[in-house]
Amino acid sequence: MRLKSIILTVMLLPVLIFAQSWNCELIGQLDYSQSANDIWGYVASDGTEYALVGTSSGTSIVDVSTDESNPTEVAFISGQNSTWRDVK
């Protein structure tokens, strides 16, 4: 198992080094009181952009385009508690 970790680290090292040079800026964020494990983007027919966020207790639908610096949860679809909620 340790050898696999070392090999994976060596393989990903160039990617991690290159990623440090990307020019990125945090515009806004939305904090959750529960764990999240997946996110998917969706663009509505009117051009509004949404983030679909899988959380431990359901799926959060977040408007990320109306006010980019202040993403807003517009709906929450409850589900069974789970550590894995894949959004596609």
Side-chain angles (χ1 to χ4, degrees), residues 28-40 50-64 71-77 85 87:
Q29 76 181 49
L30 179 62
D31 295 322
Y32 289 95
S33 61
Q34 56 192 311
S35 62
N37 74 314
D38 195 15
I39 188 168
W40 197 259
Y50 295 95
L52 309 176
V53 182
T55 72
S56 59
S57 65
T59 303
S60 173
I61 302 171
V62 181
D63 178 346
V64 295
T72 306
E73 183 178 70
V74 294
F76 187 84
I77 303 168
R85 191 171 311 280
V87 181

Side-chain angles (χ1 to χ4, degrees), residues 10-58:
V10 170
M11 290 172 55
L12 290 178
L13 192 57
V15 174
L16 296 173
I17 292 170
F18 180 72
Q20 297 300 316
S21 67
W22 291 343
N23 186 11
C24 296
E25 179 182 346
L26 177 64
I27 296 173
Q29 76 181 49
L30 179 62
D31 295 322
Y32 289 95
S33 61
Q34 56 192 311
S35 62
N37 74 314
D38 195 15
I39 188 168
W40 197 259
Y42 173 77
V43 180
S45 59
D46 66 357
T48 305
E49 297 179 22
Y50 295 95
L52 309 176
V53 182
T55 72
S56 59
S57 65

